[in-house]
Amino acid sequence: MNITIQEIAQAVGSQHDSTKTITNVEFDSRKVTEGSLFVPLAGTRDGHEFIEQALANGAVASFWSWNLEKAPEGIEVIPVKDPLKAMQELAQYYLAKVGADVVAITGSNGKTTTKDLTASVLSQVYKTYKTQGNYNNNIGMPYTILHMPEDTEKIVLEMGMDHAHEITELSLMAQPKVAAITMIGEAHIENLGSREGIAKAKMEITDGLVADGLLVIPENEPLLPPLTHFLKQRIQTFGINEGDISAKIILEEKQQTIFEVAGETMTIPLPGSYNVTNALIAYTIGRFFGINIAAIQRGLASVAVTQNRTEWLTAGNGAAILSDVYNANPTAMGLVLDTVAKFPTPGRRLAVLADMLELGEDSLAMHAKMSEHITPEAFSKIFLYGKQMRALKEALAQKYPGLIVFYIEEDKEKLISSVKKELQPTDTIVLKGSNSMGLIEVVQELQGMK
């Protein structure tokens, strides 16, 4: 980024005549480097309180909504009413200045992996930037935009939400050329009331979709077509053995899945049919932007996915770990369990499942329903962690009284020691649960075990 303070002020409706150049934008004073614009956001503490640290780290300018008399000397101050809104307006300005096409991705599950797959495909031909980590909200998305290189041609933005109208804000800010919905699940149903409410919230991604843009949606989701009939933009559907872009799975293995689409063979270094549908979105977007089959094949085969999303690791004793602990909802957990159950393994299959949060009044029933994805033939031992998982414990006890189930309500140290005690070198263990349940700590302990 190379943009003058005067230009920034004009972009956010303020005034400043400095021609000093800004090369970076940060809202965390600890990350500020020489030449940065500091954005003092309101949080547990107000960001204005950290202006001295930002200045010491090299900030040359700052948005400022406090009394100007409180601003320190030695830094250019750009007066604004709301620093967050100013950052969002600056992101819109910078996006238009760079001129990159925006690809927006949302969904109840798989959006981060789909973002990674899509960016990998697009990067075979175009200068491509993508959302880093999970910076997918009204702070993280403009931050992502402001950090893209000036020569970016395509930017892949993940859009998250847990309430209605949040994706509308993001879509209007980004004005995507392509919008994709991975799936409609049950995540955040507590806030949105129903799967219908979730579908409407996800469809907000089209609110900023440009007139000649493309919407990509799953063929097998009946809730979406009634919400798309008014759209004038092009719509393409995807699915396994169905949809405009249809895949036939050839081979599923622990480290890769091979499938065929439009007569061409594709390979992804990821397990499961659910990752094939994610790859179909990337394929569809690649074709929309004119990328040839060979380049798409390279992009899919060489993808590097964000950590803790369907990630194969190795325990300290040699056991295989499938870590999928960033987030969870019933659809996603069921898909992961079904996938692991198919894999041939040298030893036993084990599962560690933690609470799925924000499921509302039907939460216990949804947890109990996971028993449909567990059999004694597929899994030798099950570890359940969290208050909600008691419902699954009871369902499994009734359905499979001989299945070994360890239930631990709150004691994570006990969970870790129990898993480590039971895990053998030839085992395969899958871990899945909501991020705040902290199963990543279990994964890390298993990696370090002797």
Side-chain angles (χ1 to χ4, degrees), residues 156-221:
V156 185
L157 297 175
E158 182 180 328
M159 295 185 179
M161 63 92 202
D162 52 26
H163 289 83
H165 311 306
E166 291 179 341
I167 290 182
T168 290
E169 180 183 10
L170 302 181
S171 182
L172 291 174
M173 194 188 313
Q175 298 287 299
K177 180 79 170 181
V178 179
I181 299 174
T182 60
M183 62 170 286
I184 305 300
E186 304 83 2
H188 312 303
I189 200 168
E190 183 175 43
N191 300 328
L192 293 158
S194 64
R195 288 188 74 250
E196 289 80 1
I198 294 169
K200 289 179 181 178
K202 298 301 183 186
M203 274 297 295
E204 291 173 11
I205 201 168
T206 64
D207 288 350
L209 186 63
V210 299
D212 60 346
L214 169 69
L215 173 66
V216 185
I217 59 174
E219 171 71 25
N220 67 351
E221 182 46 75

Side-chain angles (χ1 to χ4, degrees), residues 99-373:
D101 288 322
V102 175
V103 174
I105 295 171
T106 194
S108 297
N109 194 63
K111 52 185 175 290
T112 300
T113 301
T114 302
K115 170 203 70 181
D116 293 335
L117 287 160
T118 301
S120 187
V121 166
L122 293 176
S123 67
Q124 302 304 307
V125 174
Y126 300 102
K127 295 282 188 180
T128 302
Y129 191 69
K130 66 178 181 180
T131 299
Q132 305 297 299
N134 66 332
Y135 273 44
N136 61 13
N137 62 9
N138 66 339
I139 296 173
M141 197 189 79
Y143 181 87
T144 296
I145 293 170
L146 290 167
H147 279 73
M148 71 173 166
E150 289 187 322
D151 62 351
T152 300
E153 296 173 293
K154 312 291 179 191
I155 181 167
V156 185
L157 297 175
E158 182 180 328
M159 295 185 179
M161 63 92 202
D162 52 26
H163 289 83
H165 311 306
E166 291 179 341
I167 290 182
T168 290
E169 180 183 10
L170 302 181
S171 182
L172 291 174
M173 194 188 313
Q175 298 287 299
K177 180 79 170 181
V178 179
I181 299 174
T182 60
M183 62 170 286
I184 305 300
E186 304 83 2
H188 312 303
I189 200 168
E190 183 175 43
N191 300 328
L192 293 158
S194 64
R195 288 188 74 250
E196 289 80 1
I198 294 169
K200 289 179 181 178
K202 298 301 183 186
M203 274 297 295
E204 291 173 11
I205 201 168
T206 64
D207 288 350
L209 186 63
V210 299
D212 60 346
L214 169 69
L215 173 66
V216 185
I217 59 174
E219 171 71 25
N220 67 351
E221 182 46 75
L223 292 175
L224 290 176
L227 303 175
T228 64
H229 68 274
F230 65 93
L231 292 177
K232 294 182 172 62
Q233 294 92 338
R234 182 180 174 188
I235 301 172
Q236 284 194 295
T237 63
F238 63 89
I240 307 297
N241 300 318
E242 61 181 356
D244 301 323
I245 309 299
S246 174
K248 177 184 178 183
I249 296 178
I250 306 299
L251 178 66
E252 287 189 71
E253 295 180 325
K254 289 171 67 173
Q255 300 289 352
Q256 69 172 2
T257 307
I258 302 173
F259 62 98
E260 186 179 279
V261 55
E264 301 287 347
T265 301
M266 308 279 163
T267 301
I268 53 174
L270 301 166
S273 59
Y274 58 96
N275 277 316
V276 172
T277 57
N278 295 336
L280 287 178
I281 295 174
Y283 171 93
T284 304
I285 293 170
R287 295 300 286 159
F288 177 77
F289 284 116
I291 298 178
N292 65 39
I293 295 299
I296 292 175
Q297 289 170 323
R298 287 196 306 271
L300 294 178
S302 62
V303 66
V305 297
T306 304
Q307 286 187 326
N308 302 324
R309 274 81 167 182
T310 321
E311 184 180 21
W312 281 107
L313 303 168
T314 303
N317 69 349
I321 302 171
L322 181 57
S323 172
D324 196 353
V325 299
Y326 180 75
N327 222 328
N329 60 65
T331 301
M333 185 173 285
L335 287 169
V336 169
L337 290 169
D338 292 346
T339 296
V340 173
K342 295 177 185 177
F343 294 145
T345 60
R348 307 168 303 167
R349 298 185 198 90
L350 286 69
V352 180
L353 307 176
D355 283 358
M356 301 173 284
L357 306 179
E358 297 185 4
L359 296 182
E361 61 184 17
D362 294 327
S363 179
L364 292 177
M366 290 182 187
H367 281 78
K369 197 172 176 63
M370 290 300 99
S371 64
E372 297 176 4
H373 303 276

Side-chain angles (χ1 to χ4, degrees), residues 5 18 20-23 32-38 54-55 58-62 74-77:
I5 295 173
S18 173
K20 288 182 182 177
T21 299
I22 294 297
T23 57
V32 166
T33 55
E34 198 69 35
S36 290
L37 168 71
F38 179 55
L55 181 58
V60 297
S62 177
I75 191 167
E76 305 291 347
V77 170

